Amino acid sequence: MNAIEIKGLCKSFKDFKIDDLSLNVPGGCVVGLVGENGAGKSTTIKLILNLLRKQSGSIKIFGRDNVKELDSVKEDIGVVFDECCFPLELNPKNLCSIFRAAYKNWDDEAYTGYLKKFELPEKKKIGSFSRGMKMKLSIAAALSHHAKLLVLDEATSGLDPVVRDDIIDILLEFISDDEHSILISSHIVSDLEKICDYIAFMHKGKLMLYEEKDKIYEQYVVIHCTENELNSIKPEAVIGRKVGTFGAEAIVLKDNVPKDIQSYPVDIEKLFVFMVKEST
Amino acid sequence: MKSVFLKTLLSAAKFPAFLILALFFIFPIYICFNVDALQNTLADMFSIGTMLSMIGSFFSLSMHFGEETTGWNKFLLTTPVTRKQIINSKYLMTAVMSVLYILMSTLPSVVLMIKTTGFDFREWLFIFSALTGICIFMLSFTIPISVKFGNIAGSVIFVIVFMAILSGVVIASALLGKNEEILSAANGLIHTDKYIISAAILSVCVVLTVISLLISRAVYKKKEF
């Protein structure tokens, strides 16, 4: 069963629109939503959570409509936004009381355990926390009610590599349970590469690619060649190219690379950058 | 709903204690102790009560509808708390807090009554319901605007409506105060049973609150974050 199922999602704003987006988050999988700033990642997440109202299309969470039946599945969703949304005048202990009242499955022990693990003081004002501490607190709250689906919107952006690595470890631990799924958006592709099973590229409100990460590695390669050699490859097999004075670099479908041109494994970030540049 | 109440109470507990003390106790009690020295009439006490309860309502409005900056409401909507529950609980808390302020604001009038003519429950109820009427009118007008456009817009409207009412009363009393017919009509109203007037005002308050609540719920249901 898909944790999230999006079909033909549309939402228009004055100068931007999400256009006919279809995307699944399969149960037990991690889907990484990649895109440059303003690509529509946060908008998609807000539409999933019904914080923005869709104009057409359907969104189902655990098989239930995200507008009419969202309240019945909220217990199973943990959400982390890019900014800490907690009242800055409160402390983590206060939050525990509030969430205990909000969630039926709230687990005090798990929450306290996460606070200790993340070295977060229970009685210090959230307002005095660093960005990394606030993010860890948000993740602790999202994980302490035994959610089956985590939705993270740019949760690792603006954090130092050590904290980002800590967060990735936590997510890997969460996903070790087969019932758990994650939808994580980021423009830091290297983070997503570490944990995602599927990668979804968004650009200007459109889904450019949605593929299993391993298949991306299998299907695409990077080549370095001359401009003439590049032109000899079928244009539809070239995903993106960069031609300079010293030759050309391109990402192409593996099966279409001539034997005399050496190919290298693709990395997701390069694929994303080339795809975006090719489309503009 | 409990989580919304808890958040408000915990946030209130973090407010500077002097501010809450000043709003709730220091001003009304100070006036109570100075009733003799000020040689005020019940009408003056009512004016002071109006000012105090207005400040209280404004404070209450800011406290319950001023959370957009941290995105707490947005986050709350990702928890099992519903939009309807958020609005219901905010209305309930604003109402309870405002009524408490209004009760405190009637204290100077009670003290003055005890010191002069003796405590008259009918008179007190009239003062209480009149103050409640003014505050509920202000709040029921302002809250849907706060819900739709944010707390700053709501606060500005609150102040504008208050100033408009105040100016209206001043202008009307200056223009119509010498008109015999109006004066005798007002006199007749004053001599109507105050229980009836109080009941009428409180009934209007209930109707206004329900209408305002329904509008706010409809606005919040469509609100995007």
Side-chain angles (χ1 to χ4, degrees), chain A residues 11 46 50-53 71 74-75 79 84-87 89-91 94 97-99 101-103, chain B residues 2-3 6-7 10-11 14 70-72 74-75 77-83 221-225:
Chain A
K11 172 77 180 175
K46 284 180 180 177
N50 196 31
L51 295 170
L52 288 174
R53 303 177 74 78
D71 294 335
K74 276 177 172 177
E75 195 76 47
V79 180
C84 174
C85 295
F86 302 143
E89 68 277 14
L90 302 186
N91 60 40
N94 296 145
S97 318
I98 295 170
F99 289 134
Y103 291 103
Chain B
K2 198 178 158 192
S3 55
L6 265 172
K7 189 265 156 190
L10 288 166
S11 290
K14 309 281 174 183
T70 59
W72 171 245
K74 177 176 83 172
F75 184 81
L77 288 172
T78 69
T79 72
V81 179
T82 64
R83 289 178 186 237
K221 198 178 169 186
K222 289 179 183 169
K223 188 164 179 160
E224 295 192 322
F225 291 86

Side-chain angles (χ1 to χ4, degrees), chain A residues 3-255:
Chain A
I4 301 175
E5 209 173 297
I6 304 173
K7 278 184 190 161
L9 180 66
C10 293
K11 172 77 180 175
S12 294
F13 300 92
K14 271 183 191 170
D15 50 358
F16 173 76
K17 66 175 177 179
I18 295 286
D19 192 12
D20 195 24
L21 181 81
S22 295
L23 175 76
N24 292 334
V25 177
C29 292
V30 183
V31 174
L33 207 52
V34 187
E36 77 275 27
N37 292 326
K41 306 182 298 289
S42 297
T43 305
T44 305
I45 286 176
K46 284 180 180 177
L47 285 162
I48 292 169
L49 298 169
N50 196 31
L51 295 170
L52 288 174
R53 303 177 74 78
K54 62 180 184 252
Q55 279 156 343
S56 62
S58 74
I59 302 173
K60 287 184 175 173
I61 303 173
F62 297 120
R64 296 182 185 198
D65 186 86
N66 84 316
V67 178
K68 291 173 192 160
E69 299 168 287
L70 181 64
D71 294 335
S72 61
V73 291
K74 276 177 172 177
E75 195 76 47
D76 293 328
I77 309 174
V79 180
V80 179
F81 289 110
D82 55 343
E83 289 290 331
C84 174
C85 295
F86 302 143
L88 302 178
E89 68 277 14
L90 302 186
N91 60 40
K93 202 179 176 186
N94 296 145
L95 278 188
C96 186
S97 318
I98 295 170
F99 289 134
R100 197 185 301 131
Y103 291 103
K104 280 181 204 160
N105 299 330
W106 181 258
D107 185 341
D108 276 1
E109 263 183 47
Y111 180 70
T112 316
Y114 280 119
L115 292 186
K116 274 187 189 159
K117 190 175 174 182
F118 299 154
E119 296 174 2
L120 296 171
E122 271 188 76
K123 292 180 181 172
K124 200 175 171 187
K125 272 188 183 179
I126 296 167
S128 65
F129 281 13
S130 67
R131 182 172 157 78
M133 289 165 88
K134 284 177 186 166
M135 269 306 149
K136 284 179 175 175
L137 179 63
S138 303
I139 290 170
L143 293 174
S144 300
H145 57 93
H146 303 294
K148 289 177 187 159
L149 168 67
L150 271 190
V151 179
L152 301 106
D153 185 13
E154 301 281 3
T156 56
S157 59
L159 299 176
D160 66 66
V162 179
V163 177
R164 271 170 33 212
D165 197 58
D166 286 348
I167 290 174
I168 298 293
D169 285 344
I170 296 155
L171 298 181
L172 285 170
E173 198 181 310
F174 174 80
I175 204 67
S176 62
D177 186 325
D178 287 346
E179 280 194 352
H180 290 175
S181 312
I182 301 177
L183 173 65
I184 176 169
S185 83
S186 181
H187 57 263
I188 305 171
V189 186
S190 57
D191 287 347
L192 300 186
E193 223 168 346
K194 290 177 192 164
I195 52 165
C196 291
D197 301 305
Y198 288 81
I199 299 284
F201 283 162
M202 285 192 79
H203 178 56
K204 292 184 177 172
K206 281 193 171 182
L207 190 66
M208 294 177 72
L209 177 84
Y210 174 63
E211 192 65 85
E212 259 183 74
K213 186 178 71 182
D214 294 341
K215 280 192 179 168
I216 291 176
Y217 293 140
E218 281 169 24
Q219 285 176 1
Y220 303 100
V221 285
V222 180
I223 57 164
H224 295 278
C225 56
T226 62
E227 201 175 345
N228 285 339
E229 283 172 327
L230 183 59
N231 289 337
S232 69
I233 300 171
K234 278 193 286 183
E236 58 268 27
V238 180
I239 303 302
R241 70 184 74 204
K242 197 192 279 178
V243 180
T245 326
F246 302 105
E249 185 184 30
I251 292 179
V252 293
L253 287 170
K254 198 176 188 177
D255 297 342

Side-chain angles (χ1 to χ4, degrees), chain B residues 84-159:
Chain B
K84 200 172 163 183
Q85 284 174 336
I86 292 175
I87 289 294
N88 286 353
S89 48
K90 280 175 185 282
Y91 263 79
L92 190 60
M93 284 184 295
T94 308
V96 168
M97 211 160 150
S98 298
V99 167
L100 285 175
Y101 277 123
I102 294 164
L103 283 173
M104 284 306 289
S105 306
T106 61
L107 260 187
S109 311
V110 172
V111 172
L112 186 71
M113 274 192 253
I114 292 169
K115 287 195 171 180
T116 53
T117 55
F119 179 69
D120 182 351
F121 178 74
R122 193 178 296 201
E123 197 72 42
W124 173 83
L125 183 67
F126 175 69
I127 293 169
F128 171 76
S129 50
L131 291 179
T132 307
I134 295 168
C135 290
I136 293 291
F137 176 79
M138 299 288 296
L139 288 172
S140 49
F141 202 90
T142 319
I143 292 175
I145 292 166
S146 286
V147 172
K148 174 80 179 169
F149 300 107
N151 190 45
I152 294 172
S155 303
V156 170
I157 295 294
F158 188 96
V159 174

Side-chain angles (χ1 to χ4, degrees), chain B residues 41-84:
Chain B
T41 64
L42 211 51
D44 295 328
M45 289 294 111
F46 178 77
S47 308
I48 291 168
T50 307
M51 290 306 293
L52 287 175
S53 49
M54 278 290 141
I55 294 167
S57 301
F58 188 76
F59 178 64
S60 171
L61 177 81
S62 309
M63 196 167 167
H64 299 121
F65 292 90
E67 292 164 345
E68 306 103 42
T69 43
T70 59
W72 171 245
N73 285 339
K74 177 176 83 172
F75 184 81
L76 207 54
L77 288 172
T78 69
T79 72
V81 179
T82 64
R83 289 178 186 237
K84 200 172 163 183

